[in-house]
Amino acid sequence: MKNETALNQSPALKTGEKGRNIERLVGLLGDPVSHTLSPAMQNAAFQALDTGCRYLAFPVRAEDFERAMEGLAALGAVGTNITVPHKERAFRWVRRLDPSAARTGAVNTVLFSEEGGTGYNTDVAGIRTALAPLSPRRNNALVLGAGGAARAAVCALQDEGFAHIGIMNRTRERAETLRTQLFTVNSSKLPKCEILSFEGTPSFIPDLLVNTTSLGMHDTPWPKDLLDTVISLAKGGAVLDLVYAHGRETPLCDRAHRSGIKAVSGQEVLLHQGTAAFKLFTGMAAPVEIMRAALQKGNS
Ligand code: ATR
């Protein structure tokens, strides 16, 4: 049984290590990682604050994941980010879980120490910060998808105080599993949850629609009818699309903006999960605007 105690967000970098000759490694493990903007974003911040850290992305196949983590720990890495498809594997690998990871069942940030790896999830905080400028009414939310990103989104919406959350997914069983795991804690504060198919109509008008599916990524285009349906559902609210697209708007954000709906893309979520991870890696407040500029430069 893992230790799920509340962990001090203690800095991984001890004072005295800052500025020394040997750079300390911070990793990113995923598959693929060739398109990722995280190294540009994190290295800009590491340099700006003279942390002595270097962020490197490594493509790692699922069967090599555990060996890669052991290798990073042996190299004295400060920590690592974890991206698709390894977040659940990382959850199983770490010795200790911060509550942010324990509740979502996914780890996107690991800090290494003598005691082993500690797993965190900064996606929830990233989603909460990204949706702030949309200032939606915290009443009804509709989440498209039921995978790992949907879990983080549902936790974020619960924390934001939404009263009613609909989960719309292609595969109903997956949405039901998510509901069982995230909505059955014995607490009267939990929002109501409704499961829908893509053909279904929610019993409420969403104040916020969150896309956590792969729809809109370059290799997964939206079926036109579904995009039309989703835009008509979002008319009374705002859109947070967890997808981000290089050098252009995502198809969902583009349609939303053209329909007069406020929308924010996954680039803001990437930024804010990254600023929370930076704080864990270094113990310092993240230079948000430097990180945003690095993302925008990498994305242009
Ligand atoms: P992530 O960790 O990024 O959430 P994931 O766990 O693989 O990735 O989840 C991907 C989500 O996108 C799922 O909700 C998936 O639907 P299924 O549960 O039915 O697989 C959804 N998804 C992926 N491709 C899709 C498509 N072509 N049409 C509709 N939904 C899709």
Side-chain angles (χ1 to χ4, degrees):
M1 182 67 185
K2 287 194 182 108
N3 183 350
E4 294 178 8
T5 51
L7 302 165
N8 289 331
Q9 302 215 332
S10 57
L13 287 178
K14 297 171 198 77
T15 37
E17 287 173 337
K18 206 179 128 184
R20 66 185 190 170
N21 283 340
I22 301 168
E23 289 186 309
R24 294 201 63 198
L25 177 62
V26 176
L28 168 66
L29 306 189
D31 188 21
V33 289
S34 50
H35 61 290
T36 179
L37 297 174
S38 289
M41 171 175 75
Q42 294 289 359
N43 282 325
F46 286 159
Q47 274 169 21
L49 296 193
D50 189 24
T51 61
C53 289
R54 175 73 68 103
Y55 191 98
L56 286 176
F58 300 97
V60 173
R61 292 174 304 180
E63 59 269 34
D64 295 327
F65 177 78
E66 285 77 14
R67 285 195 308 136
M69 291 296 278
E70 299 295 343
L72 283 178
L75 289 170
V78 174
T80 186
N81 280 137
I82 309 288
T83 190
V84 176
H86 302 316
K87 291 181 188 178
E88 287 170 31
R89 249 169 208 277
F91 178 85
R92 293 192 293 275
W93 184 85
V94 293
R95 186 87 43 89
R96 293 197 301 167
L97 286 168
D98 180 72
S100 61
R103 68 193 289 228
T104 49
V107 162
N108 82 329
T109 305
V110 175
L111 295 186
F112 297 112
S113 70
E114 295 290 313
E115 292 81 45
T118 299
Y120 299 79
N121 189 311
T122 67
D123 289 332
V124 176
I127 291 168
R128 291 186 71 182
T129 310
L131 68 79
L134 294 171
S135 50
R137 289 201 319 141
R138 269 49 171 189
N139 206 9
N140 302 317
L142 182 62
V143 175
L144 309 184
R151 284 164 184 273
V154 165
C155 289
L157 297 172
Q158 289 174 339
D159 291 349
E160 287 292 315
F162 279 83
H164 198 149
I165 300 176
I167 315 280
M168 190 178 254
N169 198 45
R170 180 176 60 178
T171 312
R172 186 176 176 92
E173 300 77 55
R174 217 165 166 203
E176 279 170 354
T177 304
L178 187 155
R179 173 165 65 179
T180 306
Q181 291 174 351
L182 296 186
F183 286 86
T184 50
V185 182
N186 192 11
S187 160
S188 54
K189 277 205 205 140
L190 279 177
K192 281 195 258 162
C193 177
E194 174 173 331
I195 292 181
L196 297 136
S197 69
F198 284 136
E199 293 75 41
T201 311
S203 63
F204 56 83
I205 297 170
D207 301 306
L208 178 70
L209 185 142
V210 186
N211 175 42
T212 74
T213 72
S214 325
L215 291 164
M217 289 181 189
H218 61 283
D219 53 353
T220 316
W222 282 89
K224 186 178 175 311
D225 289 354
L226 183 56
L227 188 53
D228 291 344
T229 306
V230 164
I231 287 294
S232 71
L233 284 172
K235 276 258 154 71
V239 167
L240 178 63
D241 187 3
L242 264 51
V243 171
Y244 68 93
H246 284 263
R248 61 180 169 88
E249 288 220 280
T250 67
L252 179 57
C253 285
D254 178 50
R255 273 292 300 275
H257 284 142
R258 286 196 283 123
S259 307
I261 302 168
K262 282 202 278 186
V264 161
S265 85
Q267 189 171 308
E268 281 295 294
V269 178
L270 179 70
L271 169 66
H272 293 295
Q273 64 75 32
T275 62
F278 178 93
K279 175 123 197 287
L280 289 171
F281 293 138
T282 65
M284 301 178 203
V288 181
E289 289 315 318
I290 287 172
M291 294 171 81
R292 180 180 271 118
L295 272 183
Q296 275 160 359
K297 192 170 164 210
N299 212 355
S300 58

